């Protein structure tokens, strides 16, 4: 395995290297240069409405389709028509819920969790107004992964869908989606996966996972503020229409894209593939497309595991720190989103004391409010969260550790 070339990586993110350390990436990553190049290309050459016969419109349509195909490559979808594009994952799940409920009946059931981001809970809970029964799959006290037996106990012949996260944006732990999907499908239901906290760190493979629906936010995967939802084609075909009334049931995926997606943002997604291909090639893997995506994320996983270990080793050695989630740095167990609390120190105060060092971290519940509330933490302001990605470096982690040590030895007031 080639040594990870952090210099190459940082050269491809123009926002880096200006003094600010970005360790709040679970809220949104920096944008790769290739993404901005594609965005500008669309705006300066094809910024017109689609569907006309003149040249610029034809070119614009082809570019938007290329963006959809790029997202299909990231999902490893079977066809680009399985990709629904939109502004945010929250919005896309809401659109999906409104489409699916048209084919369900009062008394049908949806299972949500108490450990997901609200994006994959709230839209489904709203269906109670339509007579849908909402059940809750809860994390067992002290655990950081859900128990499949608890899911099996919740499922009935009326269960239509189970909504679950691939990786927790608090714990950082990776759930076994394939095993969950097998249980869900054995019960005759569909599975909807929130991949927002997973997608920046690993190659998604919706076919291998057995996912019926899967969504992630492009703006957390080195792109612009945009999102994508995968739906298996037959499920999208069967879903209701939430677009204009004259759209036919066969108009997939446009019947789930009311008002159209953002064209330039769609085309900019090609830049995410451009960047991942360049990353793979910089490390001696001369390939394109899906193979390059998988190779790039394999490199990313190894580098991020080393970053996780560096921070987790420090936090574990401190008797006054409680790590929220799996303390293991292993790439198959977690992503480098690490949450913790410090005994006797408010999470907000710690984060604000880190700010002057030019290091961006965050505190709160991060819209996983049910999970954080059920943890019953002594800190009413939630957890401290450090969320790295592959463009972060060991030196940056060391800068954070040094600042946390200053806070520990000198006190919050002395370093604020």
């Amino acid at each position: 395995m080639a040594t990870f070339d952090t210099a190459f990586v940082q050269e491809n993110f123009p926002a880096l290297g200006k003094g600010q350390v970005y360790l709040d990436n679970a809220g949104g990553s920096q944008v790769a240069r290739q993404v901005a190049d594609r965005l500008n290309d669309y705006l300066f050459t094809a910024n017109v409405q689609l569907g006309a016969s003149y040249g610029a419109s034809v070119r614009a349509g082809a570019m938007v389709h290329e963006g959809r195909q790029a997202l299909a490559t990231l999902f490893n979808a079977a066809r680009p028509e399985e990709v629904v594009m939109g502004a945010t994952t929250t919005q896309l799940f809401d659109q999906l819920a409104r489409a699916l409920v048209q084919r369900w009946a009062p008394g049908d059931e949806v299972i949500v969790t108490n450990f997901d981001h609200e994006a994959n809970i709230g839209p489904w809970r709203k269906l109670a107004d339509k007579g849908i029964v909402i059940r809750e799959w809860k994390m067992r006290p002290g655990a950081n992964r859900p128990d499949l037996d608890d899911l099996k106990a919740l499922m009935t012949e009326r269960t239509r869908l189970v909504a679950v996260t691939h990786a927790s944006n608090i714990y950082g732990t990776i759930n076994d989606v394939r095993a969950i999907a097998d249980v869900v499908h054995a019960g005759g239901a569909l599975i909807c996966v929130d991949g927002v906290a997973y997608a920046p760190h690993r190659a998604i493979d919706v076919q291998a996972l057995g996912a019926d629906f899967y969504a992630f936010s492009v703006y957390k995967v080195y792109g612009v503020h945009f999102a994508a939802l995968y739906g298996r084609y037959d499920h999208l075909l069967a879903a209701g229409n939430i677009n204009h009334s004259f759209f036919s049931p066969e108009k997939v995926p446009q019947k789930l894209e009311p008002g159209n997606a953002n064209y330039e943002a769609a085309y900019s997604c090609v830049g995410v593939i451009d960047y991942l291909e360049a990353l793979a090639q910089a490390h001696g893997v001369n390939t394109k497309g899906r193979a390059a995506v998988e190779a790039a994320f394999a490199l990313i996983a190894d580098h991020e595991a080393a970053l996780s270990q560096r921070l987790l080793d420090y936090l574990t050695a401190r008797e006054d720190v409680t790590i929220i989630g799996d303390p293991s740095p292993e790439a198959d167990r977690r992503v480098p989103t690490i949450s913790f609390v410090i005994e006797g120190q408010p999470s907000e105060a710690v984060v604000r004391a880190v700010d002057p060092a030019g290091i961006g971290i965050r505190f709160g519940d991060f819209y996983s409010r049910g999970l954080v509330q059920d943890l019953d933490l002594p800190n009413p302001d939630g957890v401290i969260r450090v969320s790295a990605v592959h463009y972060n470096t060991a030196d940056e982690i060391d800068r954070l550790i040094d600042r946390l040590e200053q806070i520990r030895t000198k006190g919050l007031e002395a370093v604020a």
Side-chain angles (χ1 to χ4, degrees), residues 212-246:
D212 298 299
F213 305 102
Y214 192 112
F216 73 92
S217 297
V218 179
Y219 67 92
K220 301 185 182 186
V221 192
Y222 321 114
V224 299
H225 208 97
F226 199 59
L229 167 71
Y230 160 83
R232 215 176 76 188
Y233 188 78
D234 56 337
H235 296 325
L236 294 181
L237 197 63
N241 171 36
I242 62 166
N243 209 325
H244 300 302
S245 60
F246 50 78

Side-chain angles (χ1 to χ4, degrees), residues 82-406:
E82 293 182 321
V83 175
V84 181
M85 301 186 294
T88 67
T89 297
T90 299
Q91 182 186 77
L92 287 171
F93 281 147
D94 185 71
Q95 291 170 201
L96 178 65
R98 289 191 287 118
L100 293 181
V101 76
Q102 296 178 36
R103 303 291 186 255
W104 295 343
D108 285 346
E109 300 169 359
V110 170
I111 296 174
V112 298
T113 78
N114 72 332
F115 51 84
D116 273 39
H117 186 287
E118 186 66 17
N120 204 21
I121 298 175
W124 307 109
R125 284 199 174 278
K126 290 176 185 175
L127 299 185
D129 293 342
K130 304 289 187 182
I132 303 302
V133 176
I134 308 300
R135 298 181 179 273
E136 188 175 60
W137 182 15
K138 292 188 175 183
M139 190 84 72
R140 294 185 178 185
N144 53 60
R145 287 181 180 80
D147 192 290
L148 284 176
D149 288 338
D150 295 339
L151 174 60
K152 293 174 184 176
L154 287 170
M155 295 191 67
T156 75
E157 62 181 13
R158 297 296 297 270
T159 304
R160 295 293 172 259
L161 181 139
V162 175
V164 68
T165 189
H166 200 165
S168 169
N169 74 330
I170 298 291
Y171 289 145
T173 47
I174 299 171
N175 292 326
D176 188 346
V177 169
R178 179 76 234 195
I180 297 170
D182 288 344
V183 169
V184 172
H185 292 152
L190 304 175
I191 182 170
C192 178
V193 183
D194 178 352
V196 170
Y198 182 88
H201 310 288
R202 306 287 185 273
I204 303 163
D205 189 340
V206 291
Q207 297 185 67
L209 291 170
D212 298 299
F213 305 102
Y214 192 112
F216 73 92
S217 297
V218 179
Y219 67 92
K220 301 185 182 186
V221 192
Y222 321 114
V224 299
H225 208 97
F226 199 59
L229 167 71
Y230 160 83
R232 215 176 76 188
Y233 188 78
D234 56 337
H235 296 325
L236 294 181
L237 197 63
N241 171 36
I242 62 166
N243 209 325
H244 300 302
S245 60
F246 50 78
F247 274 40
S248 73
E250 290 76 32
K251 197 170 181 61
V252 174
Q254 287 78 15
K255 69 179 183 179
L256 275 81
E257 293 178 345
N260 293 320
N262 180 305
Y263 299 151
E264 61 268 26
Y267 182 63
S268 76
C269 294
V270 180
V272 177
I273 302 294
D274 293 339
Y275 168 66
L276 293 172
E277 288 177 345
L279 178 62
Q281 290 165 11
H283 291 82
V285 183
N286 295 311
T287 187
K288 294 281 188 179
R290 178 65 192 184
V293 169
E294 293 178 358
F297 275 111
L299 292 160
I300 286 169
D302 287 342
H303 175 68
E304 290 180 345
L307 298 180
S308 293
Q309 181 162 13
R310 208 173 191 96
L311 180 57
L312 287 167
D313 283 350
Y314 167 74
L315 296 173
T316 302
R318 284 185 56 165
E319 293 183 358
D320 61 340
V321 168
T322 299
I323 296 170
I324 310 300
D326 193 333
S328 167
E330 298 303 319
D332 61 343
R333 296 181 63 84
R334 67 144 53 246
V335 297
T337 299
I338 298 170
S339 300
F340 58 97
V341 293
I342 302 177
E343 183 181 347
Q345 294 186 342
S347 296
E348 179 179 1
V350 173
V351 170
R352 291 192 182 279
V354 169
D355 287 344
I359 301 168
I361 60 174
R362 208 174 185 94
F363 69 93
D365 60 38
F366 306 100
Y367 294 95
S368 289
R369 183 159 297 179
L371 186 156
V372 173
Q373 287 178 341
D374 286 350
L375 289 173
D376 196 24
L377 299 173
N379 304 48
D381 49 4
V383 301
I384 302 162
R385 189 179 74 176
V386 178
S387 50
V389 291
H390 72 286
Y391 55 60
N392 292 119
T393 67
D395 287 345
E396 290 175 340
I397 298 297
D398 288 345
R399 278 182 61 181
L400 172 62
I401 290 171
D402 180 65
R403 188 64 172 183
L404 292 173
E405 268 298 284
Q406 291 179 39

Side-chain angles (χ1 to χ4, degrees), residues 14-52:
L16 304 181
K18 297 177 173 64
Q20 176 70 56
V21 174
Y22 295 98
L23 286 170
D24 181 30
N25 298 289
S29 68
Q30 297 305 303
V31 176
R33 185 187 304 276
Q34 293 87 343
V35 171
D37 289 344
R38 293 282 185 170
L39 184 74
N40 286 340
D41 187 20
Y42 184 91
L43 290 173
F44 297 155
T45 68
N47 190 27
V48 298
Q49 184 55 269
L50 311 190

